[in-house]
Amino acid sequence: PGCDHGGPFAHILQAKMSIQYNVAAALIERGVTEKNFALLNDARLHRLISLMTLDVDARMSEVYPALQGGEVEIRFADSRQLALRLDNVVNAEPAEVRARFRAAVSEALGAQRAAAIEQCIEQLPGSDDAGQLSALLAD
């Protein structure tokens, strides 16, 4: 899911919801990680976005929301073209979400603190003190 918003981006949430931002950032960073959201003011990103056209695919719209697809097509100045189409973008499994969480938090706060935060989150349903999480997240 995403929105047709080409910027400017005042905060990360706008970037996360922007189709254009995510495509440009993935091309620059050669993948999709939390690191992509450090590009809010990157001139390369904004140049790529300025070259983009967002089109609605009627076939994908017809099958939405049962299937949630997407396609990226790149046309080079020398007439070459690359395209990738997914008829359905499958949601990440819980293990994938946890792995991305660990990687992002470890990079920001260190592996030991990330492990403590993850353990605290796991124990929240049975805890009467959500403030423990805030304490772990504080600088």
Side-chain angles (χ1 to χ4, degrees):
C3 300
D4 182 2
H5 178 65
F9 305 99
H11 47 76
I12 292 173
L13 182 57
Q14 286 179 321
K16 286 189 175 193
M17 292 302 298
S18 166
I19 294 168
Q20 294 92 324
Y21 183 99
N22 282 282
V23 170
L27 290 170
I28 291 167
E29 293 295 337
R30 300 178 187 261
V32 179
T33 67
E34 286 299 311
K35 183 170 84 170
N36 292 28
F37 300 106
L39 301 173
L40 293 178
N41 298 309
D42 188 289
R44 300 168 302 163
L45 178 121
H46 291 282
R47 171 78 173 127
L48 277 175
I49 289 173
S50 75
L51 299 171
M52 289 182 181
T53 303
L54 183 66
D55 294 322
V56 174
D57 183 295
R59 289 183 312 185
M60 286 186 186
S61 293
E62 288 172 7
V63 297
Y64 177 84
L67 298 175
Q68 296 183 39
E71 181 175 22
V72 173
E73 181 180 300
I74 301 170
R75 297 178 189 160
F76 295 91
D78 65 6
S79 298
R80 289 181 300 133
Q81 292 185 2
L82 296 174
L84 177 63
R85 180 183 180 96
L86 296 175
D87 291 321
N88 192 29
V89 179
V90 179
N91 290 334
E93 295 292 327
E96 294 171 293
V97 173
R98 283 181 177 267
R100 286 183 63 188
F101 169 83
R102 275 188 217 106
V105 177
S106 292
E107 186 174 325
L109 303 174
Q112 186 174 7
R113 197 154 153 205
I117 291 167
E118 184 176 8
Q119 182 178 16
C120 181
I121 291 169
E122 287 175 1
Q123 295 172 350
L124 279 176
S127 175
D128 60 357
D129 183 7
Q132 294 171 355
L133 180 58
S134 294
L136 286 169
L137 294 171
D139 288 336

